[in-house]
Amino acid sequence: MPARKAGELRRLLEKFWDQMPIVRCLRTPGLRDRHWNKICQICQLPFELDRKQISLEQLLSMGVDRHLMMLIELSTIASKEAV
């Protein structure tokens, strides 16, 4: 029984770890409305998205993870602009 629980916990942690690049990109402090508008446009998200209330699970269900390279690019640009 404990081994099964440990295996389940390990799978959950691995799944979460795989999603960390998305979290880092979307939590970039330099992201402004124009960056979020671009994210919504490319990921085909609703523009009225309340980015302070939406969860990672909701974003993943909308397919944001399929656009990771674009998210990395936009978060890098936002970070450079903020300096």
Side-chain angles (χ1 to χ4, degrees):
M1 185 80 142
R4 188 175 67 185
K5 291 285 186 187
E8 183 179 326
L9 179 59
R10 181 185 177 109
R11 282 188 296 281
L12 286 170
L13 288 172
E14 286 173 352
K15 182 178 178 183
F16 179 73
W17 190 251
D18 289 344
Q19 297 167 350
M20 283 308 295
I22 297 166
V23 172
R24 280 194 297 272
C25 289
L26 296 176
R27 294 292 300 152
T28 300
L31 285 177
R32 301 290 179 248
D33 286 341
R34 66 180 178 280
H35 302 114
W36 277 102
N37 289 340
K38 187 74 169 173
I39 290 169
C40 289
Q41 178 186 8
I42 291 172
C43 297
Q44 299 177 341
L45 302 174
F47 281 95
E48 65 276 356
L49 181 77
D50 185 352
R51 63 181 186 251
K52 294 183 182 187
Q53 297 296 320
I54 195 160
S55 69
L56 176 60
E57 183 178 0
Q58 290 169 317
L59 288 169
L60 291 172
S61 74
M62 294 182 213
V64 170
D65 53 324
R66 293 188 306 253
H67 304 281
L68 179 58
M69 295 309 295
M70 182 277 310
L71 291 174
I72 292 170
E73 183 179 329
L74 276 173
S75 70
T76 301
I77 290 168
S79 293
K80 289 178 181 178
E81 289 176 357
V83 174

